[in-house]
């Protein structure tokens, strides 16, 4: 599952961040995923062949039974990777095969999800203290249907693509809603029983997957809808409108769930704080350690989908804009030099040459620079801080004997100069001394 998830992430890396050879790296992970899948099938078949009783026991064991759906999830990731990496080069026959395999997988995912839950509910007795996010795992086969439908629909057209999208929305909705209800039990368990034991805490990352897979699936399917809906979809003449509205709703839904996915991600990360402290004993390996990768690949592809929905990878480029010194740096955006306003000489400039030459000339001679809103620049305030302090203390003592001329400090003269240079006396109803 994790290897196929990595191949899926590599395929969805935005164009602006791809490099030569990245496609080949994704193919390597895809091939490795199939090799590992066949190896696991052979080995577990040998186990069941030489120890027949273990087959039934694996379905009724309180822990192992929860991982039975992993074989179906692995098959689902392989189908997604075939659609991503294989259909481009193999011709239309493989695309038709993937369309058939999609519906076969939907049936398998539904049967296994229902079957495992029914077996668990019929043979096991769990307490809330035993609850972990692994309880969500039997619903995971349904959660990868949406991402598969989004990739497959982007490579097909017409009613075939529309039917795939509709089926993807239905099955993805089932998987997410079942997971959402188990979320409630997980939160209740944390409130009443504290965190799970340390070897099981990696399984908390499983709670990231349902939102992550739903985001990438819903946004991907929504972006294909305007292209495939017929003119009379959802009513006479409503096809184009229904497609555009569905696209917008899918984007907002994905953005909404994106925050939920990150919330569970940070909760899972924070739960590991006690395990990484200096001097802490080594935590023994458990099957849940693989949860470090697979659910987080869903969060990564979900982030790519949100960036694509926000037009031009905007969510990712926020960080990139800071790194490229386009925002949150001196002389960038609202604090740049313009209209005759100049930066304080001690302020470090990060803008390109000539960015402060547009419009207006230098400020009047002898007038220190001010900000656009007329407030004295911080560095100027520092320069006259002592003078302002003298004026303030004089007013607090209410020294009525002081003449107006004696209170005319350098700071007062400075504010007088600002008022006169503004050209708008009505804007300053108070006197210069009151302003100081």
């Amino acid at each position: 599952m994790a290897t196929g998830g990595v191949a899926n992430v590599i395929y969805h890396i935005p164009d602006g961040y791809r490099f030569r050879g990245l496609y080949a790296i994704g193919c390597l992970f895809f091939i490795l995923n199939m090799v590992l899948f066949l190896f696991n099938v052979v080995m577990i078949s040998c186990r069941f062949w030489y120890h027949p009783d273990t087959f039934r026991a694996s379905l009724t064991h309180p822990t192992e039974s929860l991982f039975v759906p992993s074989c179906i999830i692995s098959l689902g990731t392989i189908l997604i990777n075939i659609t991503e990496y294989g259909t481009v080069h193999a011709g239309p026959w493989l695309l038709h095969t993937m369309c058939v395999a999609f519906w076969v997988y939907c049936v398998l995912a539904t049967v296994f999800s229902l079957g495992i839950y029914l077996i668990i509910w019929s043979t096991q007795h769990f307490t809330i203290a035993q609850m972990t996010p692994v309880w969500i795992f039997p619903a995971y086969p349904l959660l990868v249907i949406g991402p598969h439908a989004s990739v497959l629909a982007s490579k097909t057209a017409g009613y075939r693509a529309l039917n795939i999208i509709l089926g993807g929305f239905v099955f993805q909705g089932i998987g997410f809603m079942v997971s959402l209800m188990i979320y409630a039990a997980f939160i209740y368990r944390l409130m009443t029983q504290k965190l799970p034991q340390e070897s099981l805490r990696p399984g908390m990352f499983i709670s990231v997957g349902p939102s992550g897979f739903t985001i990438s699936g819903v946004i991907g399917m929504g972006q294909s809808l305007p292209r495939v809906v017929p003119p009379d979809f959802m009513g006479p003449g409503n096809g184009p409108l229904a497609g555009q509205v569905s696209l917008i709703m899918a984007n907002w839904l994905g953005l909404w769930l994106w925050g939920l996915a990150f919330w569970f991600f940070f909760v899972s990360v924070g739960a590991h704080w006690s395990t990484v402290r200096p001097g802490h004993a080594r935590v023994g390996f458990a099957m849940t350690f693989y949860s470090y990768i697979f659910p987080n690949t869903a969060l990564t592809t979900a982030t790519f989908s949100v960036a694509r929905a926000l037009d031009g990878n905007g969510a990712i480029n926020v960080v990139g804009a800071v790194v490229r010194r386009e925002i949150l740096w001196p002389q960038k955006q609202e604090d740049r030099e313009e209209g005759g306003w100049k930066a304080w000489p001690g302020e470090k400039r990060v803008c390109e040459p000539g960015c402060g030459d547009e419009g207006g000339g230098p400020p009047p001679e002898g007038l220190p620079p001010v900000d656009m809103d007329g407030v004295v620049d911080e560095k100027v305030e520092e320069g006259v801080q002592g003078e302002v302090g003298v004026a303030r203390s004089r007013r607090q003592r209410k020294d009525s004997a002081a003449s107006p001329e004696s209170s005319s400090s350098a700071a007062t003269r400075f504010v007088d100069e600002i008022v006169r240079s503004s050209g708008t006396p009505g804007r300053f109803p108070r006197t210069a001394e009151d302003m100081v």
Side-chain angles (χ1 to χ4, degrees):
M1 294 186 301
T3 311
V6 172
N8 185 39
V9 168
I10 294 175
Y11 178 83
H12 285 93
I13 292 177
D15 293 337
Y17 302 89
R18 302 187 70 87
F19 57 88
R20 186 177 182 180
L22 187 61
Y23 183 83
I25 296 175
C27 289
L28 290 177
F29 276 97
F30 166 42
I31 297 172
L32 177 61
N33 185 33
M34 292 190 293
V35 172
L36 291 175
F37 180 77
L38 293 176
F39 174 77
N40 288 334
V41 168
V42 171
M43 297 304 294
I44 201 169
S45 298
C46 292
R47 177 200 179 195
F48 294 149
W49 176 265
Y50 291 109
H51 306 279
D53 294 340
T54 58
F55 178 77
R56 178 182 177 85
S58 65
L59 297 176
T60 57
H61 190 275
T63 300
E64 188 176 356
S65 59
L66 294 171
F67 289 92
V68 171
S70 61
C71 62
I72 302 300
I73 304 171
S74 301
L75 178 61
T77 60
I78 290 176
L79 294 178
I80 294 175
N81 293 157
I82 293 175
T83 305
E84 293 170 340
Y85 291 96
T87 56
V88 179
H89 306 287
W93 69 269
L94 184 58
L95 188 60
H96 297 326
T97 304
M98 285 298 101
C99 291
V100 176
F102 170 79
W103 295 110
V104 173
Y105 176 79
C106 290
V107 174
L108 288 175
T110 304
V111 170
F112 267 77
S113 180
L114 288 173
I116 294 300
Y117 273 129
L118 286 173
I119 291 174
I120 292 175
W121 295 337
S122 302
T123 61
Q124 304 298 325
H125 177 73
F126 293 102
T127 63
I128 194 64
Q130 298 173 292
M131 195 280 166
T132 67
V134 180
W135 287 10
I136 301 176
F137 220 55
Y140 255 73
L142 297 168
L143 291 170
V144 299
I145 293 179
H148 189 193
S150 66
V151 175
L152 194 57
S154 66
K155 298 178 180 294
T156 55
Y159 281 99
R160 172 178 289 181
L162 179 61
N163 292 333
I164 290 173
I165 292 174
L166 294 177
F169 267 104
V170 171
F171 289 105
Q172 190 70 27
I174 296 173
F176 179 75
M177 292 307 298
V178 171
S179 303
L180 187 64
M181 289 182 280
I182 299 177
Y183 274 160
F186 177 51
I187 298 297
Y188 178 72
R189 181 249 184 274
L190 294 178
M191 295 293 292
T192 57
Q193 304 293 330
K194 299 184 179 181
L195 294 171
Q197 65 185 58
E198 293 179 344
S199 61
L200 299 179
R201 290 183 191 179
M204 295 178 65
F205 283 100
I206 295 177
S207 59
V208 178
S211 299
F213 285 118
T214 303
I215 293 165
S216 57
V218 168
I219 291 180
M221 290 185 290
Q223 291 179 340
S224 297
L225 265 176
R227 177 179 54 87
V228 302
V229 292
D232 295 331
F233 183 69
M234 292 188 177
N238 287 341
L241 177 62
Q244 294 297 329
V245 171
S246 300
L247 168 63
I248 297 172
M249 291 180 63
N251 291 343
W252 282 115
L253 176 61
L255 188 62
W256 185 50
L257 293 178
W258 191 50
L260 179 64
F262 266 104
W263 190 86
F264 276 108
F265 173 79
F266 289 124
V267 167
S268 303
V269 171
H272 286 73
W273 170 248
S274 62
T275 64
V276 298
R277 289 181 300 181
H280 189 275
R282 181 177 179 271
V283 179
F285 176 80
M287 282 290 292
T288 54
F289 276 37
Y290 291 106
S291 303
Y292 282 130
I293 302 176
F294 181 60
N296 293 322
T297 62
L299 179 60
T300 306
T301 55
T303 303
F304 293 154
S305 298
V306 170
R308 189 170 61 251
L310 296 181
D311 192 14
N313 305 321
I316 300 176
N317 283 341
V318 169
V319 179
V322 178
V323 174
R324 293 193 301 268
R325 298 185 175 186
E326 292 179 0
I327 60 176
L328 300 182
W329 287 85
Q331 288 300 297
K332 286 296 183 178
Q333 304 306 319
E334 75 284 346
D335 66 337
R336 64 186 181 275
E337 294 182 350
E338 62 179 349
W341 303 102
K342 295 295 182 180
W344 179 254
E347 183 179 16
K348 182 180 179 181
R349 298 188 62 197
V350 188
C351 63
E352 55 278 352
C355 68
D357 297 337
E358 54 178 350
E365 185 176 356
L367 177 62
V370 296
D371 288 336
M372 292 297 292
D373 57 357
V375 181
V376 182
D377 189 89
E378 293 180 0
K379 294 187 178 296
V380 177
E381 289 182 336
E382 293 176 2
V384 297
Q385 184 177 4
E387 306 257 80
V388 174
V390 172
R392 185 180 294 111
S393 62
R394 182 180 295 115
R395 290 180 59 84
Q396 289 175 351
R397 291 194 306 265
K398 297 182 179 181
D399 188 2
S400 58
S403 62
E405 290 78 8
S406 64
S407 63
S408 180
S409 63
T412 306
R413 292 195 301 271
F414 169 66
V415 177
D416 285 334
E417 187 66 21
I418 294 178
V419 175
R420 288 195 298 271
S421 62
S422 65
T424 56
R427 184 181 172 186
F428 302 92
R430 296 180 297 173
T431 65
E433 183 180 356
D434 291 333
M435 292 177 65
V436 173

